[in-house]
């Protein structure tokens, strides 16, 4: 019996319950047969992957660590299609083109379904979701959902439909709002702390709320790697009615961290630790200026670092071997939505700055768990002069932490006090952000989107409290610069 016949046999008769155990066994057979779309699923621990798939089939939102989220959502979409539902697999992070291609081949050629991919996330920048709305299974991203929902709020052409979210917190929290100007996508924004029953953008045609978009679906399920307790609380608060089968998430521990007063102190310590680390090193940064500065600093110390611009560059770097110490500097957030590496390299991981949100560090943790074998714990380096910290440094009252560090450092060669104080500083900054950032102050997590002009036109003078206006004001980070010249500057 071939795979298509086996899948057809899984379809329950009218009124009968879907056999989840039989479907999990079917997934195991596909993985054992060497199906390329399930390569990550096949390499993961059998008991853990089966339990994760069982839970996702039952419904709800789950943390799955470094287990293969895309494979799990793809299999869950197959189960929904067997029950007569249309399934949308939504990813906020790029999926390797070969990985997406194998998924489409499995669905269309092997199993005989009608599956379509839409959007740049799945390597289809010219394919639009509105052209794929009749497919059995759709692979897409939240920006594509924003686009069709903005044009037609009742956008689903088939009912019932199910949304299956990969790295769900990056879609639900980081990308809650889609901001448009003159019909073009301009930015994506998070609401750091939801506090208002009626959001200020309600009724604005240039703002699309992901919470409203998900109301179109009969049910929403999803998975995520690691996240924070703060985000879990916010998701429960905002999306409680959307996830009828509940939340089954837990926050992850903090990164090991070092805090410094100045950026120069941080850079000096980071470079010293990179050069002292055993074996190869990977440094993750978010800011291009920081990346270039780190590159220059390491070269001045007789190290030849490699600048890694794309996920493909990163995979190549991880797969290389050399007699000399290798140091790679990657800008962005590594993804696990790629084909697995044959052998995990022994490589230390450094995060050269605090990412915009605490929970984003959890994605880096999942990448490390799956693709690296670090000889030392992944480590975060922050300073009070970093963009995210400088605006709060005076109010945070953290000088006493650094006085304690100064007093104990000469007796503390392992820098344990500095690590403890770093967590205290980060928690204090997080507390201040919670006080300051709500629906009135969205955090723009992505700007200059494909299809947009990259720069927003001057806003109309009359309307009050338009979220879109914040693109024209001072940057949310508190640097004092205009938003478009700071975090609103389009990424290279």
């Amino acid at each position: 019996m071939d795979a298509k016949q086996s899948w057809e046999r899984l379809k329950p008769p009218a009124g009968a319950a879907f056999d989840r155990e039989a479907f999990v066994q079917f997934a195991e057979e596909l993985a054992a047969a060497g199906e390329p779309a399930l390569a990550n699923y096949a390499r993961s621990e059998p008991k853990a992957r089966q339990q994760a798939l069982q839970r996702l089939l039952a419904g709800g939102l789950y943390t799955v660590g470094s287990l293969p989220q895309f494979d799990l959502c793809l299999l869950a979409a197959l189960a929904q299609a067997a029950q007569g539902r249309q399934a949308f697999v939504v990813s906020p992070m790029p999926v390797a083109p070969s990985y997406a291609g194998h998924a489409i081949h499995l669905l269309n050629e092997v199993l005989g379904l009608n599956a379509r991919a839409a959007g740049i996330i799945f390597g289809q920048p010219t394919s639009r979701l509105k052209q794929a709305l009749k497919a059995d299974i759709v692979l897409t991203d939240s920006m594509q959902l924003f686009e069709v929902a903005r044009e037609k709020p009742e956008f689903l052409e088939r009912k019932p439909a199910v949304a299956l979210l990969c790295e769900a917190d990056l879609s639900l929290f980081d990308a809650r709002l889609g901001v448009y100007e003159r019909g073009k996508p301009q930015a994506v924004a998070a609401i750091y702390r939801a506090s208002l029953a009626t959001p200020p953008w309600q009724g604005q045609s240039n703002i699309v709320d992901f919470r409203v978009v998900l109301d179109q679906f009969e049910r929403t399920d999803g998975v995520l790697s690691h996240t924070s307790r703060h985000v879990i609380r916010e998701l429960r608060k905002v999306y409680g009615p959307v996830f009828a089968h509940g939340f089954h998430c837990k926050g992850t521990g903090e990164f090991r961290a070092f805090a410094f007063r100045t950026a120069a102190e941080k850079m000096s310590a980071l470079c010293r630790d990179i050069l002292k680390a055993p074996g190869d090193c990977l440094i993750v940064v978010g800011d291009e200026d920081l990346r270039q500065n780190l590159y220059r600093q390491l070269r001045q110390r007789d190290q030849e670092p490699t600048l890694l611009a794309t996920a493909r560059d990163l995979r190549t770097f991880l797969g290389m071997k050399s007699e000399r110490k290798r140091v790679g500097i990657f800008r962005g957030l590594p993804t696990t939505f790629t084909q697995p590496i044959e052998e995990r390299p022994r490589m230390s991981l450094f995060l050269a700055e605090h990412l915009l949100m605490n929970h984003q560090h959890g994605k880096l943790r999942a990448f490390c768990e799956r693709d690296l074998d670090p000889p030392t714990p992944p480590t975060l380096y922050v300073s009070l002069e970093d963009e995210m910290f400088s605006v709060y440094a005076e109010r945070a009252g953290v000088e006493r932490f650094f006085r304690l560090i100064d007093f104990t450092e000469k007796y503390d060669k392992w820098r344990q006090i500095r690590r403890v104080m770093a967590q205290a500083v980060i928690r204090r900054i997080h507390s201040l952000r919670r006080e300051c950032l709500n629906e009135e102050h969205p955090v723009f997590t992505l700007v200059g989107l494909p299809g947009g002009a990259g720069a927003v036109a001057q806003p109309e003078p009359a309307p009050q409290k338009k979220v879109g206006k914040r693109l024209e004001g001072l940057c949310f980070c508190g640097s004092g610069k205009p938003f478009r010249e700071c975090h609103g500057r389009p990424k290279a």
Side-chain angles (χ1 to χ4, degrees):
M1 185 182 299
D2 62 18
K4 183 177 180 181
Q5 291 173 323
S6 297
W7 183 75
E8 291 287 346
R9 287 170 62 90
L10 291 170
K11 297 180 179 179
F18 182 69
D19 191 339
R20 295 176 192 158
E21 292 285 350
F23 184 84
V24 171
Q25 183 57 41
F26 169 68
E28 291 295 311
E29 292 170 1
L30 285 179
E35 178 55 52
L38 300 178
N40 287 316
Y41 187 84
R43 287 172 65 98
S44 55
E45 200 278 318
K47 183 177 180 180
R49 73 192 183 208
Q50 291 172 29
Q51 289 177 344
L53 181 56
Q54 280 276 19
R55 290 194 293 264
L56 186 56
L57 295 179
L61 181 63
Y62 293 89
T63 49
V64 295
S66 59
L67 288 175
Q69 298 179 53
F70 180 63
D71 303 48
L72 289 168
C73 285
L74 189 67
L75 289 168
L78 268 175
Q80 296 298 335
Q83 298 171 75
R85 300 187 184 99
Q86 185 183 27
F88 287 69
V89 177
V90 182
S91 172
M93 302 183 78
V95 176
S98 59
Y99 201 10
H102 291 319
I104 292 295
H105 180 268
L106 169 65
L107 298 173
N108 287 344
E109 305 301 327
V110 178
L111 300 179
L113 290 160
N114 175 16
R116 298 281 300 275
I120 194 170
I121 290 291
F122 284 94
Q124 302 291 330
T126 61
S127 178
R128 315 314 298 170
L129 178 56
K130 60 184 177 182
Q131 300 164 342
L133 287 173
K134 294 182 180 180
D136 301 315
I137 295 178
V138 182
L139 311 181
T140 191
D141 58 80
S142 55
M143 283 308 301
Q144 293 288 316
L145 287 171
F146 285 151
E147 182 179 291
V148 296
R150 184 178 174 276
E151 293 180 4
K152 182 183 177 184
E154 300 285 335
F155 61 89
L156 290 180
E157 297 186 12
R158 292 175 52 181
K159 293 275 184 95
V162 177
L164 294 155
L165 310 179
C166 304
E167 288 292 15
D169 52 342
L170 297 187
S171 293
L172 300 170
F173 187 80
D174 297 42
R176 180 178 171 183
L177 300 183
V179 182
Y180 286 76
E181 189 74 26
R182 298 181 181 178
K184 300 293 184 180
Q186 296 296 324
V188 169
I191 303 303
Y192 198 79
R193 176 177 60 88
S195 61
L196 302 177
T198 303
W201 58 81
Q202 188 166 300
Q204 293 185 26
S205 61
N206 66 320
I207 307 294
V208 183
D209 189 335
F210 201 53
R211 168 64 182 82
V212 176
V213 172
L214 290 179
D215 284 338
Q216 288 294 298
F217 295 92
E218 179 187 64
R219 61 184 274 186
T220 300
D221 302 321
V223 289
L224 52 89
S225 54
H226 300 291
T227 193
S228 69
R229 290 187 293 271
H230 165 73
V231 168
I232 293 171
R233 287 194 298 268
E234 291 298 314
L235 294 183
R236 290 180 187 277
K237 187 190 308 179
V238 175
Y239 294 95
V242 172
F243 287 88
H245 296 279
F247 293 77
H248 312 275
C249 306
K250 58 182 180 181
T252 186
E254 300 287 350
F255 259 55
R256 186 176 82 155
F258 292 117
F260 303 87
R261 282 192 180 90
T262 69
E265 289 175 339
K266 181 184 83 169
M267 181 63 72
S268 177
L270 174 59
C271 290
R272 182 185 66 244
D273 291 349
I274 290 169
L275 296 177
K276 288 172 59 180
D280 298 336
C281 298
L282 175 66
I283 306 101
V284 177
V285 303
D287 180 71
E288 180 61 21
D289 292 340
L290 175 60
R291 183 169 81 143
Q292 293 296 334
N293 187 23
L294 181 57
Y295 177 80
R296 291 190 296 268
Q297 294 288 335
L298 288 171
R299 289 200 55 156
Q300 290 173 10
R301 292 165 170 81
D302 297 324
Q303 179 65 52
E304 291 294 331
T306 303
L307 293 176
L308 308 171
T310 66
R312 180 176 294 181
D313 293 342
L314 177 58
R315 306 302 287 179
T316 301
F317 177 79
L318 296 180
M320 293 173 59
K321 295 183 182 297
S322 173
E323 295 298 322
R324 294 188 59 194
K325 183 186 185 80
R326 295 183 305 126
V327 176
I329 308 176
F330 181 76
R331 183 190 177 200
L333 192 59
T335 173
T336 58
F337 300 160
T338 58
Q339 296 288 5
I341 296 175
E342 289 302 318
E343 182 180 352
R344 295 169 62 202
R346 188 168 175 78
M347 186 173 292
S348 298
L349 179 67
F350 298 87
L351 182 54
E353 60 182 324
H354 196 291
L355 299 178
L356 190 59
M357 307 283 192
N358 277 18
H359 67 284
Q360 293 171 351
H361 298 162
K363 315 311 166 189
L364 195 55
R365 185 186 298 276
F367 160 78
C368 185
E369 289 173 354
R370 196 195 80 161
D371 288 343
L372 301 182
D373 179 20
T376 57
T379 307
L380 164 66
Y381 292 74
V382 300
S383 84
L384 296 186
E385 292 181 348
D386 293 350
E387 276 189 323
M388 208 191 83
F389 287 75
S390 59
V391 66
Y392 302 104
E394 187 174 340
R395 288 183 56 198
V398 296
E399 179 57 31
R400 65 185 186 278
F401 298 149
F402 287 98
R403 287 199 296 268
L404 179 59
I405 291 172
D406 294 340
F407 179 74
T408 60
E409 190 96 312
K410 57 185 176 181
Y411 308 108
D412 184 19
K413 65 178 182 178
W414 300 109
R415 297 181 288 177
Q416 294 178 353
I417 297 300
R418 189 177 290 274
R419 292 205 300 268
V420 172
M421 293 300 100
Q423 298 299 343
V425 170
I426 291 171
R427 286 194 293 270
R428 182 59 181 148
I429 297 298
H430 169 67
S431 177
L432 290 173
R433 295 183 93 192
R434 278 188 54 82
E435 292 177 14
C436 300
L437 301 175
N438 60 8
E439 290 91 341
E440 299 286 352
H441 300 86
V443 179
F444 290 94
T445 53
L446 186 62
V447 295
L449 299 173
V456 182
Q458 288 293 329
E460 299 176 7
Q464 298 293 316
K465 293 185 179 178
K466 273 200 170 184
V467 174
K469 277 192 173 184
R470 301 198 181 278
L471 292 169
E472 290 296 326
L474 295 179
C475 187
F476 62 84
C477 74
S479 65
K481 300 177 183 178
F483 179 74
R484 288 185 296 169
E485 297 176 13
C486 190
H487 278 81
R489 183 175 57 195
K491 300 295 185 185

